[in-house]
Amino acid sequence: MEQTISFPVEGMSCASCAARLEKVLDRLDGVQASVNFATTRAQVSLSEGHAGMVDVLAAVRQAGFAPTTRNLDLSLSGLSCASCVGRVEKVLNALPSVQASVNLATERAHVTFVPGVVEVPALIAAVEKAGYGARVYEEQNAQDDARAQQRVWQRALWEFALATILSLPFVGQMVIMMAGLPMMDMPRMLQLVLAGVVLFGCGRGLFRAAWHAVRGGSANMDVLVVMGTGVAWVFSAAVTLMKLDQPVYFEASALVVTLVLLGRLLEARAKASAGAGMASLLRLQPRMAHVERPGGVVDESVDQLAIGDVFVVRPGESMPVDGAVLEGVSEVNEAMLTGESNLVAKTAGAEVFAGTLNQTGALRVRATKVGAQTVLASIVQMVQQAQGSKASVQRLADKVSAVFVPAVLALAVLTFAGTWLVTGSATVSLVHGVSVLVIACPCALGLATPTAIMVGTGLGARAGILFRNADALEQARRLNLLVTDKTGTLTRGQPGVVASQTAEGIQSDDFLRLACALEQNSEHPLARAVMEHARAAGIAPVAVEDFKAVPGQGVSARVGGQVVRLGSPDFLSQNGCVVDTALVQAWQAEGRTVIGVAREQAVLGYLALADEIRPEARAAITALRARGLRVVMLTGDNERAAQAVAHQVGIDEVVAGVLPDGKAAEIARLKGASLCVGMVGDGINDAPALASADVSFAIGAGADVALETADVVLVRSDLMAVVDAITLSHATVGKIRQNLFFAFIYNLLGLPLAALGALNPVLAGAAMAMSSVSVVSNSLLLNRWKPARRDAVNTTPKV
């Protein structure tokens, strides 16, 4: 039987690439390939019993190309413990090209796959075949999800309430018996009915989930609970109906199920609290906007806004989308974006962001980013991505969970058999075996890490610290060396021209005209400073030809047929120009950056630029060093300018004059010294170094490529946010370790006690229910973390 599959391929630059890929694929046994460069797709026919899609995709990568992948989130239902997570991940990852990660706390699966090889219905079908529910997660369904969760909560509440009422006679009987008071035994048939309604009525969800798990070839916590309570009820029912002279354990069945339902109820409420930070972000953006249309201002759904639309924001209202102010003067609260409560003045030309709160005046704004393009949407997406990812510390729990349920089942069988051999009593053996099944709690193992990650990333987002993934949140605490860029990181990144000097016979206006002509197409901070200086002097640039840029050194072009260069003194010297070394060194000794302009080999003049130190830079460096971090400045600027800034902020180690590729090499060298190295930067030239660091931080005002490369984005351009990110990492990992301790200790102590008969099934059920609740509740204590006060930056937040 032959199967034909078509899938997209990245990396083909010409028709010969397509031909080469086709040739590589045709070499595979039983594969016939056709690669279309125009559509960038490969179509393969696979013969049964020969090479499969895994081989085809591997061959594509080996040929130097890559199958185009798609990312998708699935909203899951029916998950009850870490074993469920492992089962869903296993069935999804078994599909060709699929990489899936499931988060128990958010009940979502993040899936990466190759369209054409696997489609969304196949992903959903695989999850459903494993016994769970799945649908595509979409942001606009957040309110529907909230309503669905509310319905689930109400149903669970009613089930628990009914189970409690029906279990009260058993509780009363146990209390009277423990008090030693005379009592009348409850009729066994009444016990059978009451326990049966609790078990098969209120607890029917447990049976349904257990059946799905078993049918899918796995076992989870529901299987353990159902087996334990079911065996106890069936044994007791047989004794009752056959009128045997044996004790019954109806109370154990009823009370264990009631306690499990209580645990699920408390767990659901605690998990909702853990995700409250995410929900608060989603509520920031208003649903309606006052949009200017030909007929006047009308109220429209935010979803209908397009780039270029003009809308009005009145005092007290939130910005519907990102935009630029056209008219009006106001102050805006941007705390949701930066974590800073100070109001920001907005006038014509200023940027505003979706979700920020307009306070005082009315603003007329033109939309510049809408939908998923807004800063708020980017923050939400990044936080969700981090919450859905797995920290490396969770892998231990995953490995334990994979064998946990089978191991517990085996222990229960051994306990039953061993107790029977020792005591000779089937009923005592049954109680011990049921206790082992009931006390086991893989659910706590599955919730230990993701709940703490959810709370930690939510706190970070509110403080203007965006962790791109869980590993970044976990690894930041391990840093023992932090490398920081200078311009835009330790300084404001907005240098200005503070001095200029022209050669003899050169007019200042002519000099500036050439300087701004060479800098007019550059986005470098120094270039913007030169342009601002020229505009302030009323100078307009002249036209240039054959423009060329030498990264980290300078630029050149032709003006009037002559070669004109602008750049560092070294750049001019390398091109045969005679530089005024005394002037350059004098300016550099003052911490200024010097650039010169030359026509052919004649230097026309020099500009001195200086950058302002960030007001919090020294306090941040002091706080980092107080935490035991070694801080190194790594900059492309000259040694003297770098040392001047380093002295002002309190940095002792400086590596200056490093080009962009040299920064990455320097990071690699430091990592080679067995150090955990972090990097803070903001510009395009920092991207390679950010990518090389163990944990990278991007200042939020920096270049897009730096923000995309970094592990942690500091939305607020404030170096103290680095300190906050590290302290939050310590606090979160501390909670994860506490949670894992709670999860493991419950099982390590509870299972042996249950096997030895020291815990009856009711107490075992209570311990099992409380283990999950304690883990989630402990994660919520992380909300006590607070960012360092800006007037007391050496204070370490406590948790």
Side-chain angles (χ1 to χ4, degrees):
M1 184 177 178
E2 193 171 78
Q3 182 184 16
T4 300
I5 296 174
S6 174
F7 59 93
V9 177
E10 295 176 350
M12 293 188 293
S13 59
C14 61
S16 62
C17 294
R20 180 161 63 88
L21 177 58
E22 190 174 300
K23 187 176 181 180
V24 169
L25 294 177
D26 282 337
R27 290 177 188 159
L28 297 175
D29 185 27
V31 175
Q32 288 185 329
S34 174
V35 181
N36 190 318
F37 172 64
T39 61
T40 65
R41 295 187 73 86
Q43 181 172 297
V44 294
S45 297
L46 307 176
S47 299
E48 192 173 353
H50 297 278
M53 275 309 301
V54 174
D55 303 306
V56 170
L57 296 176
V60 171
R61 294 186 179 97
Q62 288 173 1
F65 307 102
T68 303
T69 58
R70 178 186 171 191
N71 293 315
L72 178 76
D73 280 357
L74 294 177
S75 182
L76 306 175
S77 60
L79 302 181
S80 61
C81 67
S83 299
C84 301
V85 170
R87 175 64 183 165
V88 174
E89 285 183 348
K90 184 177 180 180
V91 298
L92 287 174
N93 289 326
L95 297 173
S97 83
V98 173
Q99 290 183 320
S101 176
V102 177
N103 188 311
L104 176 61
T106 58
E107 294 187 324
R108 290 212 298 272
H110 183 71
V111 186
T112 302
F113 63 99
V114 177
V117 177
V118 174
E119 298 297 347
V120 175
L123 298 172
I124 294 175
V127 175
E128 291 178 342
K129 188 176 180 181
Y132 307 95
R135 63 179 177 82
V136 176
Y137 175 82
E138 295 179 359
E139 201 60 64
Q140 56 264 35
N141 290 338
Q143 292 182 346
D144 294 337
D145 288 343
R147 283 192 289 267
Q149 289 176 358
Q150 184 64 24
R151 288 194 296 269
V152 170
W153 161 262
Q154 289 175 347
R155 184 171 64 250
L157 182 61
W158 277 108
E159 288 175 346
F160 167 69
L162 179 59
T164 301
I165 293 170
L166 296 177
S167 298
L168 283 176
F170 295 108
V171 175
Q173 186 173 262
M174 291 174 64
V175 170
I176 293 173
M177 183 176 65
M178 292 173 65
L181 300 175
M183 60 168 287
M184 233 172 90
D185 285 340
M186 192 190 315
R188 288 192 171 183
M189 284 301 297
L190 178 59
Q191 293 185 47
L192 184 151
V193 173
L194 291 177
V197 174
V198 172
L199 187 61
F200 303 109
C202 302
R204 65 186 182 279
L206 300 174
F207 280 84
R208 190 183 305 116
W211 165 245
H212 286 316
V214 172
R215 189 181 65 179
S218 66
N220 58 12
M221 190 189 78
D222 298 304
V223 173
L224 298 180
V225 173
V226 164
M227 285 188 65
T229 56
V231 167
W233 188 88
V234 170
F235 174 83
S236 302
V239 168
T240 300
L241 296 175
M242 297 173 66
K243 299 182 179 179
L244 301 177
D245 187 18
Q246 295 285 343
V248 293
Y249 302 98
F250 288 120
E251 75 282 354
S253 300
L255 292 176
V256 165
V257 169
T258 302
L259 288 168
V260 170
L261 293 176
L262 172 62
R264 292 280 173 88
L265 202 63
L266 296 175
E267 180 186 307
R269 181 51 58 98
K271 282 164 66 177
S273 299
M278 191 73 257
S280 65
L281 281 178
L282 293 171
R283 287 195 296 267
L284 289 173
Q285 189 172 24
R287 295 185 188 179
M288 304 297 292
H290 312 305
V291 188
E292 290 186 3
R293 297 300 184 199
V297 177
V298 297
D299 288 347
E300 291 185 0
S301 170
V302 171
D303 296 336
Q304 296 178 0
L305 275 175
I307 294 175
D309 284 347
V310 177
F311 57 90
V312 176
V313 185
R314 298 160 186 158
E317 296 179 339
S318 295
M319 304 292 169
V321 295
D322 293 1
V325 177
L326 298 177
E327 294 178 17
V329 177
S330 184
E331 292 181 314
V332 175
N333 185 338
E334 296 185 346
M336 55 71 55
L337 183 67
T338 64
E340 185 60 56
S341 59
N342 292 336
L343 300 182
V344 181
K346 299 293 181 180
T347 57
E351 282 187 301
V352 293
F353 306 97
T356 56
L357 183 63
N358 184 29
Q359 296 279 26
T360 53
L363 295 175
R364 185 167 170 264
V365 184
R366 183 182 301 279
T368 56
K369 293 181 180 179
V370 299
Q373 301 172 334
T374 64
V375 171
L376 175 62
S378 300
I379 291 174
V380 170
Q381 182 181 8
M382 194 175 295
V383 174
Q384 287 178 337
Q385 180 180 336
Q387 292 183 344
S389 62
K390 288 190 177 184
S392 56
V393 70
Q394 189 176 346
R395 290 172 193 134
L396 172 63
D398 288 346
K399 289 178 181 178
V400 173
S401 300
V403 297
F404 186 86
V405 174
V408 169
L409 290 172
L411 178 62
V413 172
L414 290 174
T415 299
F416 178 81
T419 306
W420 199 349
L421 285 175
V422 173
T423 65
S425 170
T427 55
V428 173
S429 304
L430 177 67
V431 171
H432 290 195
V434 168
S435 297
V436 169
L437 290 172
V438 169
I439 199 170
C441 191
C443 196
L445 286 174
L447 290 169
T449 300
T451 51
I453 294 294
M454 284 177 67
V455 177
T457 51
L459 285 171
R462 289 201 291 271
I465 305 165
L466 304 181
F467 293 91
R468 196 172 296 280
N469 51 58
D471 269 335
L473 179 58
E474 180 190 0
Q475 295 301 318
R477 69 183 177 87
R478 296 180 56 244
L479 293 176
N480 44 35
L481 187 149
L482 187 70
V483 177
T484 175
D485 180 43
K486 180 178 75 71
T487 305
T489 304
L490 294 171
T491 64
R492 288 190 180 276
Q494 298 175 344
V497 175
V498 295
S500 66
Q501 182 168 311
T502 57
E504 187 177 350
I506 302 299
Q507 293 295 320
S508 176
D509 288 359
D510 294 336
F511 166 67
L512 280 179
R513 190 169 290 109
L514 289 176
C516 67
L518 289 167
E519 297 283 43
Q520 61 185 324
N521 295 317
S522 174
E523 289 299 319
H524 193 281
L526 296 181
R528 290 198 294 268
V530 172
M531 292 299 296
E532 286 295 327
H533 182 67
R535 273 196 289 268
I539 304 298
V542 296
V544 300
E545 298 174 342
D546 299 331
F547 180 86
K548 294 178 183 177
V550 181
Q553 297 186 51
V555 296
S556 65
R558 286 187 177 275
V559 178
Q562 293 181 302
V563 176
V564 182
R565 295 181 178 88
L566 179 148
S568 66
D570 288 342
F571 173 65
L572 298 183
S573 295
Q574 291 168 12
N575 286 278
C577 301
V578 179
V579 175
D580 186 344
T581 306
L583 175 66
V584 169
Q585 290 180 351
W587 279 354
Q588 289 178 346
E590 297 174 8
R592 299 173 177 180
T593 299
V594 182
I595 59 175
V597 178
R599 183 162 49 207
E600 297 297 348
Q601 271 67 52
V603 177
L604 305 181
Y606 303 90
L607 293 171
L609 300 98
D611 194 2
E612 184 182 357
I613 303 294
R614 288 185 183 276
E616 81 285 355
R618 187 173 186 87
I621 299 302
T622 301
L624 289 167
R625 295 179 67 173
R627 298 193 65 86
L629 271 76
R630 173 182 157 200
V631 183
V632 177
M633 179 198 291
L634 184 62
T635 178
D637 211 340
N638 65 79
E639 181 74 23
R640 290 185 178 180
Q643 287 290 353
V645 172
H647 177 72
Q648 293 181 65
V649 300
I651 294 177
D652 298 327
E653 297 181 64
V654 176
V655 181
V658 184
L659 298 179
D661 55 347
K663 289 187 177 183
E666 186 66 20
I667 294 290
R669 183 187 68 79
L670 293 170
K671 288 172 65 177
S674 299
L675 297 172
C676 185
V677 179
M679 169 72 186
V680 189
D682 79 315
I684 291 175
N685 62 342
D686 297 324
L690 290 170
S692 300
D694 293 306
V695 181
S696 52
F697 303 83
I699 294 289
D704 290 343
V705 66
L707 302 183
E708 288 297 323
T709 305
D711 300 310
V712 185
V713 175
L714 310 175
V715 180
R716 181 177 64 242
S717 292
D718 183 342
L719 274 175
M720 280 305 300
V722 178
V723 182
D724 292 336
I726 293 172
T727 60
L728 180 56
S729 172
H730 277 276
T732 304
V733 172
K735 285 301 172 191
I736 290 173
R737 288 177 170 174
Q738 292 170 15
N739 288 346
L740 288 173
F741 171 79
F742 286 139
F744 279 116
I745 204 68
Y746 267 109
N747 291 295
L748 289 176
L749 295 179
L751 286 171
L753 290 174
L756 294 173
L759 287 177
N760 64 44
V762 175
L763 290 177
M768 183 273 295
M770 292 310 298
S771 64
S772 297
V773 176
S774 65
V775 162
V776 180
S777 300
N778 187 54
S779 293
L780 293 176
L781 293 178
L782 188 58
N783 282 305
R784 293 189 297 177
W785 176 87
K786 294 291 185 292
R789 290 173 53 195
R790 289 334 185 226
D791 58 348
V793 296
N794 291 323
T795 301
T796 302
K798 301 293 183 183
V799 176

